[in-house]
Amino acid sequence: MKQNDKIICMLEERQKQDIKNLNKAVTEFQQNFQKPETRREFDLSDPQSLKKDTPARLSDNDPRCTVSGLQKFLGEDLNHDQRVKFQKEQSREWSLQQQRDWKNALADQKFAEDLHDKNRIDLDHKAMELQRKEVETRQAVCAATKDFNRTQAAEFAERKMLEKRQEEEDNVAEISNLFRGDLLSENPEQAASSFGRHRVITDRWKGMNQDQLMAIRYTQQQQVLEKLRLQEEERQRNAEWDRQRIQAARAQLLFERHQQRLNRELRRTLDNTNAQLSQEQKSKKFIFRRKCIQIFQQANISHSLIQLAGDV
């Protein structure tokens, strides 16, 4: 897959380079051999036509002179032969120039195509060489892997055979030791540890005596009583915490009610103050309006202006 991706990337890069070179060649051909001023109809749309045009009159025998100028009369085409000859010569020059341009363009196109083919062949050779090296490397890796796997398989088979033989010998020795040992004979002394009489060997121990069992039961009873005592202390401590939490919640509720009562009283006082200020402001506006109306009436102002002053 990596090799295929590499080849695809190379082909895409080569295609992009070919398109770029072709577009470049077309652009250069248009700039060099297809200029606007080389067209036959360029004189009809030439932006510099007025600057290139001849003056209204060049001489007395100018063919562009009108009848009123009395420079030339109808039927007197004195420059016909020279004009026709010049036109033929100019047409021939144009034809030769177009043929030379066409040959040059064909030569450039052929050179570009040959260069493109050469580059493509070189890229194909490089791709084939890379693919050949990749195949050779892959074959070498496969051969080395096959030899390594064969060696590993032989070593694994030999190791398994040795392990099986060792396991059989160990099993035979273990069966012999069990037959001759204290385990199957159930000797109580076999559980005694070399570190002391209070320690035993767990894989040989056959159980405890009655004194040891009674001591363990007594210790278990003491542990049960201690656990019950701890549970009672925990219950009392939780009850104390619950009582303190209820008291704190009750105090918080009383404080919130007191705060709400203070807020209502403060709001009531503020509403009374706002109502009193509003009443005073309305009375002041009414007195000011009456004074303005009296002043405008004394100055003999119309009723509409008096109403407007009253609104203001």
Side-chain angles (χ1 to χ4, degrees), residues 262-280:
L262 291 178
N263 291 335
R264 287 196 297 271
E265 292 178 357
L266 181 61
R267 186 66 181 177
R268 189 181 299 109
T269 303
L270 184 62
D271 292 340
N272 294 332
T273 303
N274 291 334
Q276 185 178 359
L277 291 175
S278 177
Q279 188 66 26
E280 291 178 359

Side-chain angles (χ1 to χ4, degrees), residues 250-291:
R250 186 177 299 170
Q252 181 68 22
L253 179 60
L254 293 175
F255 176 75
E256 290 179 355
R257 290 180 179 176
H258 178 69
Q259 190 68 25
Q260 291 177 0
R261 184 166 58 255
L262 291 178
N263 291 335
R264 287 196 297 271
E265 292 178 357
L266 181 61
R267 186 66 181 177
R268 189 181 299 109
T269 303
L270 184 62
D271 292 340
N272 294 332
T273 303
N274 291 334
Q276 185 178 359
L277 291 175
S278 177
Q279 188 66 26
E280 291 178 359
Q281 189 176 5
K282 287 182 180 180
S283 61
K284 289 180 180 180
K285 286 184 179 180
F286 181 72
I287 294 171
F288 178 74
R289 183 177 181 182
R290 291 190 62 183
K291 288 183 179 181

Side-chain angles (χ1 to χ4, degrees), residues 7-25 116 120 123:
I7 294 173
I8 290 172
C9 292
M10 293 176 63
L11 293 176
E12 290 179 355
E13 186 67 24
R14 184 174 67 185
Q15 185 178 5
K16 291 180 181 179
Q17 188 66 26
D18 295 341
I19 294 173
K20 182 178 179 180
N21 295 333
L22 182 60
N23 293 332
K24 183 178 179 181
H116 174 265
R120 185 175 59 187
L123 290 175

